[in-house]
Amino acid sequence: MHAETVKEVLSALPFQPFVIHTVSGAKYLIDHPDFTMLSHGGRSLYISLPEGEGERVRIVDTALIERLEPAGTSHTG
């Protein structure tokens, strides 16, 4: 996914929570933009994970983001 797309969704006003889906099948709920940081070049997205989920920060390569989905939306395949 293009880093610019991620940047647009993170900076949208009003912010709308969303779920990041990666090509590996991992999912990350982004319920507030303050819990993320996009690297200067846009290659990496740093996601602060809720307490109790092991590692505190996950680093996701933006090229490996398959799609962004509004939170609360569920697709069954």
Side-chain angles (χ1 to χ4, degrees):
M1 173 161 293
H2 293 281
E4 194 61 35
T5 302
V6 176
K7 186 176 180 179
E8 287 175 12
V9 172
L10 288 171
S11 62
L13 293 175
F15 176 79
Q16 298 293 315
F18 64 97
V19 176
I20 292 173
H21 294 264
T22 67
V23 295
S24 69
K27 299 176 190 177
Y28 303 99
L29 172 64
I30 308 300
D31 55 5
H32 198 281
D34 287 351
F35 300 130
T36 65
M37 184 184 82
L38 191 60
S39 66
H40 181 68
R43 175 70 185 222
S44 299
L45 179 66
Y46 297 80
I47 302 170
S48 178
L49 300 176
E51 288 188 42
E53 290 197 27
E55 299 175 32
R56 297 264 191 210
V57 176
R58 187 63 43 96
I59 303 170
V60 177
D61 185 328
T62 56
L64 300 179
I65 295 175
E66 183 176 51
R67 71 181 190 278
L68 306 177
E69 183 176 273
T73 303
S74 178
H75 293 291
T76 56

